[in-house]
Amino acid sequence: MRRTPEPYLWLLFSGGGIVAALVLPVLVLLFGVLMPLGVLDWPGAGELAALLDPLVVRLGLLVVVVLCLFHAAHRIRFTSEELLGIARYDALVAVLCYGGAVTGGIIAAMRLL
């Protein structure tokens, strides 16, 4: 029997969905609503640098970014195949979607670490 990476991709998809549902709304609320309205003060460059100084914070942010990228890649892959009827190009679409997620994760890792 041939093994496929499909269960691991679904695991990354579900992890990214959980992260996107729990973490991203808080970030949007803070940086997209409360700070522009003046409810909260904008953090200074020094405060943001101090926030990103611990390695644990940078690794946590990297996990959030990578999981959200894989969630988006999986969703784009299956939605485009279903809506556009391009299921016969599944291998190409998978390589493009997951390759983009891996590339984005590498770029995020280089920027954060």
Side-chain angles (χ1 to χ4, degrees), residues 20-79:
L22 296 177
V23 175
L24 290 181
V26 174
L27 294 175
V28 169
L29 178 67
L30 287 174
F31 291 99
V33 177
L34 296 178
M35 289 179 191
L37 289 176
V39 176
L40 295 175
D41 292 331
W42 286 94
E47 293 169 332
L48 288 177
L51 178 67
L52 289 176
D53 189 40
L55 181 64
V56 175
V57 173
R58 288 183 280 161
L59 287 176
L61 191 57
L62 181 63
V63 166
V64 168
V65 168
V66 168
L67 285 177
C68 287
L69 285 173
F70 271 97
H71 179 78
H74 203 70
R75 187 174 291 274
I76 290 169
R77 174 187 174 195
F78 285 102
T79 302

Side-chain angles (χ1 to χ4, degrees), residues 4-15:
T4 65
E6 200 68 27
Y8 304 108
L9 297 175
W10 279 101
L11 181 66
L12 289 171
F13 170 75
S14 64

